[in-house]
Amino acid sequence: MWKITENSFDPKRLRHFETALTQGNGYVGTRATFDEHYPGEQRTTFVHGVFDDVPVVFTHLVNFPDWTALDIILAGERFSLAEGKLLEYRRRLNLHNGVLTRFVRWESPQGHVSKLIFSRFASLANQHLLCQRVLITPENYSGEVRIESRLDAGTDTMRYQQWNWLDQGVEDGSIWLRLQTSATKIEAAMAQKVFFSGGSEAEILMPNVVKMPSICTSCQAETGQTIYFEKFSSLCTSRECEDPKSGSLSILAEMAQEPWEAAYAANEQAWQKEWDRNDVLIEGDAEAQLALRFSIYHLLIAAPRTDEQVNIGAKTLSGYGYHGHAFWDTEIFMLPFFTFTRPEIARNLLSYRYHNLPGAREKALEGGFQGAQFPWESAGDGREVTPTWVPDPADRKSLIRIWTGDIEIHISSDIAFAIVQYWRLSGDDAFMAQRGAEVILDSAKFWASRLEWNPQTSQYHLSNVIGPDEYHDHVDDNAFTNYLTRWHLHTAVALAEWLKTYDAQAASLLFTKLGVDEQSLADWATMADQLYCPGENNQGLIEQFGGYFQRVDALASDFDPRTESVQSILGIEGANASQVLKQPDVMMLMYLLPELFSHETIQANYDYYTPRTDLTFGSSLGPSIQAIMATRLGSQADAYENFMRAARADIEDVRGNASDGIHGASAGGLWQAAVFGFGGLRVEDDYWYVKPHLPAHWKRLQFKFVWRGQEQLVDIRAQEEQS
Ligand code: BGC
């Protein structure tokens, strides 16, 4: 159960498959567009951390010159699926080794039939290497097979030209190109080399066309003769390489004798090593098995292995959605997968927040606060990059004000939460002392300055915020935000105490740097105690925010049948005025801090909020969390329904927006739903245990995780669960 397959070509699903079959290696991500182009495609190659300025949305991942493009001319006719007749078509992404293969039999407008087999991968063994191969067999004709390949400096990013061309050339049998981003001044170099065999002696030309160095290869092929075309591209940037041009050329110069076979084997081995650590085995449910591996694959290809200055965007490196910006999606949804299976990667991702403390401090200061306030959307340098206005999809001429960058402030605590979770699992005291503590303490300082004292209630409050449920903005005392803030302040005080004993000198240096002293710690503890966190009402319910219960009551199902979100139906104001939620909010709180709530309270809130949550067309972040909470309450049918909703998000494109890129949070949430939900894994301070709740038809669930540096294996069989 390792292969995602497309058995026939449907142009209507072009962009969906481009996203779903995206390839990558944690450094670069390339959508699965056709080598030879197709109308309406969205060709992108993104590299982590390579952003440049664009109007309105501030900054965007830059679209790199396309390494996959090939013009294939067969006996004078251009190969294109938009013309001629498609006799056979199969495409397959092998999740086990990241290789994408396409098998095509095509009849040209003049009746020439050719068989073409395309394969490509972004090497996991060498993240700067991109490999591609085409085998072409003329079936009923003989003639010239000509393939033209290039590095094109003219790539745009949603119609914005972000590259400045620097230089190009031909060297050691490779073409190369140097570019620089316009505003951020990141230099990139790409090189390319091809091998061509199988027909008459090949002719290779390397026209050094300005801004488009190219390689043109051609030969004569007889009927039934297979032509082998192999192409290797390399890519380096000034972010990680002193001299990107030499870096990319040397990768190609060092290629082995049989370059395709060698690169293929190295890539396969690297993937094997990954899956040995990360695979989750499900027996008895082929669809769930494939979907979970698909999600893990997408997390793995987006995961920075060698870079602590980058994060994973909400849509990974697989599409234009959200411009490559990172949200709380990383810390709360994707990060647990890495924390539990690849702590080195989790450390990199959390270090990104540490390195970007200056941006968070800037944001706090701009708002008139102290300490560090993390941006709702973050990109290259950690400053707030949430767009303030976006075009209204219903009327492109008007604009919608986006408030999340101003008032969705819970992200600072989400980051603290993820750091503590990583620390608990890994026992990485050095990370906590050197980096984590600074993040948590400085953002606690932000909270202390942000809390509002109300003499009437003699309590602190947080007004004018957005909680996880974004259908409701400008709300006061959002339960999720307030409880997480209280947790954050208490955690910061305890952490400061720990640091004093762990490394007194480091503690003293840090306190001086942040302007934190014993009095601040005492104040934080008092503020946490005096922060209003809504308790249960007489029905056992926690009010999502002040006045929520006064909003117009409505259930998500009141709007069924439908193909769009409740917000699209009611409008922004209408949804805000109703009780329908975009995604779990109180449930999200109970997921993260379960120890604060009794089983009965969780049940009462689950029963109330679930039917009011837009789980089908609201946020893709909702279903996996809902599934976990359902497993904890023994609602197996609901749990499975929501698990599969998350599982199908991108494979089936249930929301119709998979073309924008993979829903990274849903992928991470799916792993959590399998492991923490059905697997029932719970981690305490000094031990872990499982309390499985397998769906009735699952025969087995097996997964691994790393606990204090040691690999742990959990193997749950259906019979064992019943015993
Ligand atoms: C969700 C947010 C999420 C963002 C990026 C929004 O639709 O409501 O919770 O962070 O998408 O995925």
Side-chain angles (χ1 to χ4, degrees):
M1 225 55 73
W2 288 98
K3 298 185 178 119
I4 303 290
T5 45
E6 185 193 26
N7 286 322
S8 59
F9 173 55
D10 176 0
K12 289 199 280 307
R13 298 188 70 192
L14 184 76
R15 290 201 184 173
H16 167 218
F17 273 101
E18 285 174 12
T19 298
L21 308 181
T22 290
Q23 296 178 283
N25 56 18
Y27 170 79
V28 56
T30 298
R31 283 167 67 82
T33 42
F34 295 143
D35 312 50
E36 71 281 3
H37 290 271
Y38 193 87
E41 66 186 358
Q42 219 166 44
R43 297 182 93 79
T44 66
T45 288
F46 294 133
V47 173
H48 265 316
V50 182
F51 285 93
D52 201 36
D53 297 1
V54 284
V56 187
V57 298
F58 301 112
T59 181
H60 205 304
L61 279 174
V62 179
N63 189 12
F64 271 68
D66 174 29
W67 59 276
T68 64
L70 293 177
D71 287 337
I72 301 174
I73 321 283
L74 304 169
E77 290 176 285
R78 176 185 298 274
F79 165 65
S80 163
L81 297 193
E83 282 165 35
K85 224 192 269 169
L86 192 53
L87 306 176
E88 275 182 72
Y89 176 93
R90 279 190 303 282
R91 196 151 58 138
R92 189 183 74 190
L93 174 67
N94 184 349
L95 303 171
H96 199 264
N97 62 10
V99 177
L100 178 65
T101 314
R102 180 165 54 125
F103 175 90
V104 174
R105 275 186 72 242
W106 177 73
E107 186 178 321
S108 74
Q110 285 184 22
H112 291 161
V113 176
S114 312
K115 183 166 82 187
L116 300 100
I117 304 174
F118 298 84
S119 312
R120 67 193 201 211
F121 59 93
S123 173
L124 194 65
N126 179 349
Q127 61 182 12
H128 301 282
L129 180 65
L130 305 156
C131 307
Q132 191 178 1
R133 184 171 84 166
V134 194
L135 274 48
I136 302 174
T137 314
E139 290 194 356
N140 64 354
Y141 67 100
S142 58
E144 189 192 42
V145 172
R146 179 189 213 359
I147 304 185
E148 297 187 3
S149 169
R150 69 192 80 87
L151 290 168
D152 182 353
T155 341
D156 63 19
T157 308
M158 307 213 84
R159 294 189 292 279
Y160 293 109
Q161 184 53 257
Q162 293 173 306
W163 287 118
N164 286 326
W165 172 80
L166 293 180
D167 202 1
Q168 67 178 61
V170 179
E171 221 166 294
D172 297 334
S174 301
I175 52 171
W176 59 268
L177 177 67
R178 277 177 62 225
L179 305 163
Q180 192 180 46
T181 54
S182 302
T184 48
K185 305 284 175 223
I186 300 170
E187 187 185 322
M190 293 182 80
Q192 203 169 83
K193 178 177 194 165
V194 306
F195 296 86
F196 196 67
S197 63
S200 66
E201 201 178 333
E203 252 186 57
I204 303 194
L205 292 175
M206 295 181 152
N208 200 7
V209 181
V210 176
K211 298 192 180 177
M212 212 201 290
S214 309
I215 309 181
C216 306
T217 40
S218 64
C219 72
Q220 294 298 319
E222 298 304 323
T223 313
Q225 195 174 27
T226 299
I227 307 301
Y228 291 79
F229 176 85
E230 291 169 3
K231 168 171 145 188
F232 302 93
S233 307
S234 56
L235 194 170
C236 295
T237 79
S238 53
R239 291 192 65 259
E240 75 286 337
C241 188
E242 243 176 60
D243 180 352
K245 178 191 151 194
S246 321
S248 52
L249 278 171
S250 67
I251 289 165
L252 299 188
E254 285 157 16
M255 294 218 56
Q257 269 297 309
E258 292 191 323
W260 176 263
E261 286 72 14
Y264 193 96
N267 172 61
E268 197 154 54
Q269 216 178 358
W271 271 104
Q272 181 66 54
K273 223 167 125 197
E274 255 334 326
W275 285 112
D276 283 347
R277 289 180 280 198
N278 302 306
D279 188 26
V280 178
L281 181 79
I282 297 173
E283 281 178 11
D285 191 336
E287 187 186 358
Q289 172 70 88
L290 187 64
L292 187 51
R293 285 186 174 145
F294 172 81
S295 296
I296 295 175
Y297 165 85
H298 278 289
L299 293 169
L300 289 174
I301 64 167
R305 288 164 179 75
T306 53
D307 194 342
E308 334 183 308
Q309 304 276 358
V310 297
N311 205 294
I312 303 178
K315 301 285 184 180
T316 68
L317 292 174
S318 61
Y320 280 118
Y322 291 124
H323 329 290
H325 299 177
F327 297 65
W328 74 316
D329 302 39
T330 306
E331 279 77 13
I332 298 299
F333 293 85
M334 299 184 232
L335 206 93
F337 165 73
F338 297 112
T339 294
F340 278 73
T341 67
R342 293 284 269 118
E344 316 78 8
I345 293 175
R347 194 181 195 281
N348 285 347
L349 289 165
L350 292 171
S351 294
Y352 164 86
R353 297 296 188 178
Y354 166 78
H355 292 304
N356 283 320
L357 272 167
R361 289 180 179 130
E362 197 176 296
K363 181 170 169 79
L365 207 62
E366 276 170 8
F369 304 111
Q370 296 173 14
Q373 179 189 6
F374 283 95
W376 178 244
E377 294 186 27
S378 185
D381 61 9
R383 278 182 297 163
E384 180 63 77
V385 289
T386 306
T388 320
W389 298 91
V390 296
D392 182 348
D395 168 15
R396 306 295 294 177
K397 282 194 221 94
S398 56
L399 294 173
I400 298 177
R401 176 72 163 89
I402 301 294
W403 290 104
T404 47
D406 305 67
I407 56 175
E408 191 154 357
I409 55 179
H410 60 82
I411 187 161
S412 295
S413 297
D414 305 331
I415 292 168
F417 187 89
I419 293 174
V420 171
Q421 192 180 47
Y422 166 76
W423 187 35
R424 251 175 131 197
L425 252 289
S426 64
D428 188 349
D429 291 343
F431 174 81
M432 188 49 116
Q434 288 154 17
R435 296 180 172 181
E438 185 164 342
V439 172
I440 294 177
L441 266 56
D442 215 20
S443 42
K445 199 171 157 189
F446 158 70
W447 283 125
S449 68
R450 173 65 177 78
L451 293 188
E452 304 143 39
W453 177 252
N454 181 337
Q456 261 113 51
T457 60
S458 292
Q459 279 183 308
Y460 286 97
H461 295 264
L462 284 166
S463 63
N464 194 26
V465 302
I466 302 178
D469 157 34
E470 294 174 348
Y471 282 177
H472 296 98
D473 53 24
H474 300 291
V475 302
D476 299 337
D477 288 324
N478 166 249
F480 179 92
T481 309
N482 288 24
Y483 271 94
L484 263 285
T485 304
R486 186 165 78 181
W487 170 89
H488 189 155
L489 287 167
H490 278 312
T491 301
V493 174
L495 183 62
E497 294 306 326
W498 170 81
L499 192 59
K500 284 192 257 172
T501 15
Y502 176 75
D503 186 340
Q505 204 191 354
S508 147
L509 283 172
L510 182 61
F511 295 171
T512 310
K513 178 174 177 188
L514 302 183
V516 169
D517 57 19
E518 291 303 324
Q519 187 55 48
S520 344
L521 299 181
D523 291 347
W524 293 355
T526 313
M527 292 174 114
D529 290 338
Q530 294 178 345
L531 171 58
Y532 170 72
C533 289
E536 295 168 32
N537 68 9
N538 51 15
Q539 292 161 280
L541 300 179
I542 304 284
E543 191 170 34
Q544 184 179 301
F545 54 81
Y548 168 83
F549 291 131
Q550 270 84 61
R551 305 269 162 132
V552 181
D553 196 12
L555 307 183
S557 59
D558 296 346
F559 302 89
D560 292 343
R562 61 195 164 104
T563 51
E564 53 187 351
S565 72
V566 172
Q567 194 185 50
S568 315
I569 295 169
L570 292 181
I572 293 176
E573 297 308 323
N576 208 346
S578 89
Q579 284 194 27
V580 177
L581 321 181
K582 181 178 180 186
Q583 63 208 83
D585 197 304
V586 171
M587 274 302 110
M588 195 69 216
L589 160 65
M590 294 181 172
Y591 173 50
L592 295 186
L593 300 176
E595 62 281 1
L596 301 185
F597 305 97
S598 69
H599 184 84
E600 291 69 36
T601 304
I602 298 178
Q603 183 74 62
N605 284 275
Y606 179 90
D607 292 344
Y608 187 83
Y609 285 109
T610 301
R612 289 166 179 79
T613 309
D614 189 358
L615 288 161
T616 37
F617 293 102
S619 170
S620 67
L621 279 61
S624 54
I625 302 308
Q626 197 68 27
I628 300 173
M629 297 312 284
T631 60
R632 293 189 180 165
L633 296 168
S635 301
Q636 288 300 82
D638 285 1
Y640 189 71
E641 186 185 336
N642 280 304
F643 180 85
M644 291 314 291
R645 223 172 237 150
R648 292 175 185 140
D650 289 314
I651 289 197
E652 302 274 324
D653 192 13
V654 288
R655 284 186 165 68
N657 64 357
S659 58
D660 293 345
I662 288 291
H663 294 84
S666 177
L670 194 72
W671 180 88
Q672 294 188 57
V675 169
F676 303 147
F678 297 134
L681 175 66
R682 296 288 192 107
V683 175
E684 301 296 340
D685 280 340
D686 299 314
Y687 65 100
W688 60 266
Y689 65 95
V690 289
K691 209 171 154 205
H693 316 268
L694 297 194
H697 60 294
W698 286 21
K699 301 204 171 2
R700 185 178 180 191
L701 173 68
Q702 188 197 63
F703 56 88
K704 290 180 183 161
F705 68 98
V706 184
W707 162 253
R708 307 275 153 95
Q710 301 293 319
E711 190 174 270
Q712 316 287 313
L713 174 76
V714 177
D715 197 352
I716 305 162
R717 316 247 176 178
Q719 307 87 302
E720 285 169 14
E721 198 208 1
Q722 281 143 22
S723 66

